[in-house]
Amino acid sequence: MMTTRPRGDDRAGRDRLGELADRLLGDGRLRRSAGYVAWSAAGLTALLVATMAVPALEARRANRPSTVPASVRIVDAPEWLVRTPELMEELGHRIADAAGSVSNDRDGLVRAHAQAESSGWFERVERIQRLPDGTIRLEGSMVTPFAVIRWGEKDHLVDADGRLLDWAFAPGSAGSQLPLLVGTRTPPPTHQDGRRHFGAEWSHAEEISAGLELARRIRDRAWSGEVRAIEVGGYPDLRCLWIQCEGGPRICWGLAPNVRSAAEITPDEKLRLIDSIHELYGPMSRITVSEIDVRHDVATTRALTDATALSSP
């Protein structure tokens, strides 16, 4: 049960406290000074709370992992990456996972930097930082995917210099815009522990270097979209690259375009010869012969004299 105290008792209590204060401090300057000291102490306590407790709370909050995954923004991302959202998303996930979600975690940014570099997708990573909203901002120059090389059950992506990139396709699913090299006996580059070495050159293999050079030379021809693959497997022994046409013949190209031999016509002459075959008898899928040899113009011209032997109606 709640009880109330008579108002007179409250007044008497205050009078007794005042008398005690008068006896201890007097009724003048000393008593006023005590009041000042009390208020100063309270202010100091509040200041200590503000200067010590608040930063500690902020630090604890900064070190608390966020429940929202970090997003990654690549500054001036190349157009080909923007047009490949699934690759952009996967690359972003890997960098974000390495960075973690602690806002002032420098080690996380170091891990993210290493992840970006080890992917093979960057010529160099110039700067990586975490913005106030948690976004990972990355500045650097990216390589450009150029071709795929079939090894095992995957078509592995490489750049124009033959450096292995951290991406692979199911066989035949990369699309005609990426030349396909088949038949190599050289495995992808690996680290000593067996992990794939992304960013390392697969093109140290002679047949891959030759195949990439041929892919560069034919990519702007009118018939390049009809090429299914470039066969490189026999190059080390037979010194011949083969162009596989989709639904059409295999074309024996011969030596890599950057290798000259008096036994073969020049690369430009070979290109003009294939151009003429395509113009006269194309598309390639209509050509009925199984193989065409463009290393020697005389032999090929002799075969071309009978148009019915080359193309179907």
Side-chain angles (χ1 to χ4, degrees), residues 78 80 120-123 141-147 157-163 165 178 219:
W80 63 260
W121 283 107
F122 293 88
E123 290 277 5
S141 56
M142 299 190 71
V143 302
T144 301
F146 176 73
L157 197 59
V158 297
D159 69 2
D161 294 323
R163 291 175 293 194
L165 303 176
L178 291 171
R219 68 182 309 177

Side-chain angles (χ1 to χ4, degrees), residues 5-19:
R5 181 180 299 172
R7 188 181 303 274
D9 290 346
D10 290 340
R11 189 181 299 111
R14 288 195 298 269
D15 291 343
R16 285 195 294 272
L17 288 174
E19 292 173 2

